[in-house]
Each structure stands twice: as C-alpha cells, then as structure tokens.
Amino acid sequence: MWLANTMTLARDLWPKSIGRLIQEGQTSIDNLPSARKIPTTPEALAEWLCVEPMPSQGQAAVYIRSDVPGVAQLNEGSTHDDPLELVIRLQGVIADMNLNVGGDWDGSVDNVMRAKQHLSLIGGGCKAAFEPQESAVNAIRELVLVMLGKSEELGRGRPGTITLRRRVFTKIRHGVNDDLPNVVRASEDPKKRFHDIRHSWRVTERVTAGVQQADGQINVIPPLTLRRGDFVDVSVRVNVAMMRTAQGPRYEVLFEPLTVVKLLAASAVMVSTISVIGNVEELMYCGAARISGNKERTIAVNRSGTSGGEGEEIHGDRVQINGWGPGGGR
C-alpha cells in the first residue's frame, strides 16, 4: 500500500519472490483501489486517513476516510459511510517477539494495563523492500499524532526495525463492552490469574498465525511455533492507546499484529542473501487477504473478495482466522 512513481510493490523487491503470497496471483498496482494504496506525501496522507478519539475507552481509532475510492468495496456488508479500520500488511524477518497469550504480564493487577505482546521485524539486509515499509509506519505514526494535537509518543522503535505492539488486556466497562469474550482457555490459566480479573480486564483477541505451503495453501499454526529468523507477512491494525497523566493525556500509536503468515522458515532464510542492489522507489503493499481456519485447519486466501471456505470473507487489508479459537474486539 505504499505508492511511489515507479509503481513497484515492495513485496516484489524481496529476492526470489519470497514476499509473494501464492494465492494472491497476479495482484498488482494496476488492480488495487485507492483505499489500498498509502499516499506518499503528507498532504495526500492527511486526506486518506482520519482519527476518532474515544477517551471513554482509553484509545483512539484510525480509519481510512469513507470518501477514498474503494472503501465501500473493502468494507463489505456495510454502507459507504461506515468507517474502515486502517489495517496494513508488513513483511520482514522476525528479530524478536513475545506472542504469549499474556505477553509480558507479570500476573499482578497493578501491571495489567501495561501488559503488551510484541513482534519486531528487520529487513535482513534488503533495504529496497524494508525501508519503504518503515517509512510508511513512521509517516502514519507522525500524522496520527498531529491529528491528536501531539508531537511526541511512547514506545518508538529503533531505526531499521519495525516494532509491532498490542495491549494484552481490554478494560471491561459494564453496559459498554462487557459482552466481549475472554479468549484465555482454562488450560492456559492454571493459577486462575486471568479468570480472577475477568470482570475488570479480559484478553479479548488472540494473535493468529499460519504457514504458506508450496501449493499456496496456508495452514493454521500456533503463534508460539514462530521463531526468530522466520520471514513473515503480518496483518497490522493501527490503534492509539490514550493514557492520563498529571501533565495531560499521553498517546502511544500502536501497530498491532493481528495475523502472522510464515512465508519462509528461519532454517531456510539466509539473511546475508536477503539484499537487493539498486536505486528504486518502492510501493508498500498491504493486500486484502483473509485467512480461514476450517475443520482441516487450513487457510485460504484469494483476490476476489471471498476465501475458499464457506461464508468466509475478505474485509479490507485485515488478515483473520476463523475457527481458530474465539474472537472478539477491543
């Protein structure tokens, strides 16, 4: 989704086409609507996305503007005026991660609000494919903060690294969101720490994962089987955490991993060979895809707007898994 003059997709600049999801076929810049192409200038980007503060929920949501061509088609089942969450796709080599269901939570009530999961990506030497993605993330972060009237934020990552973070827990407000599910299984909570705080805080979403097979089929895998060095395609939601302090509200722009698809295992990745020489302007692409976990525990992705499973759909650039544990939203 990152547009440049050469009309090149960053995913196509990885060597040996390792950045392509086989089931996406011949997807190109020519058949992507504007809603799936992130503008390269600050002026155009400001006309492309919008931010909706939700202080009662301690967050702000980031949407693609409803007047951007292609939003109605991507926001299937709704009207043209309904907001479409900004969900992008990023690719890279896993440098570090904590995708445990509780993330870095230490089990104490005092640290529930700060608990996070994270996934860090690096380019492995392939600047041509990775740097436009890093530029896109930084541009979105900067604009979101400007729209909120702020110029600083918490948790910015190191140069050359894209760090994805998501809050582990959702604050439960009775009469507002107390119907959200608790996705932690009893077998994952032997000391009932998650269970004991469920009326105030819940884990309402899980990171889902898959691995691409040689025939293009994507099989569902537990996220904890991912390893450092794996080359992955990550579906990422842009969100903002709002925190009250004595000095006023503080904001953290979160790029939240939703689904991770392993395209190449660490054992097969030779990081020293992931490099592309040349002076090329790139396009960062976040293709629409939906992952479906059916009874055979497989994932299907295609370009037409529906996946291979019965009743499964594509919604914008979100990659999701159905039938793999309970879902839910923050």
Side-chain angles (χ1 to χ4, degrees), residues 248-263:
R250 293 290 302 276
Y251 300 94
E252 181 178 6
V253 181
L254 297 172
F255 292 83
E256 302 177 332
L258 299 175
T259 297
V260 185
V261 177
K262 179 164 63 175
L263 302 181

Side-chain angles (χ1 to χ4, degrees), residues 52-63 148 173 239 242 330:
E52 181 72 21
M54 295 184 288
S56 64
Q57 299 180 37
Q59 65 177 353
V62 183
Y63 300 112
L148 291 169
R173 295 170 172 83
N239 201 358
M242 304 173 65
R330 174 169 282 111

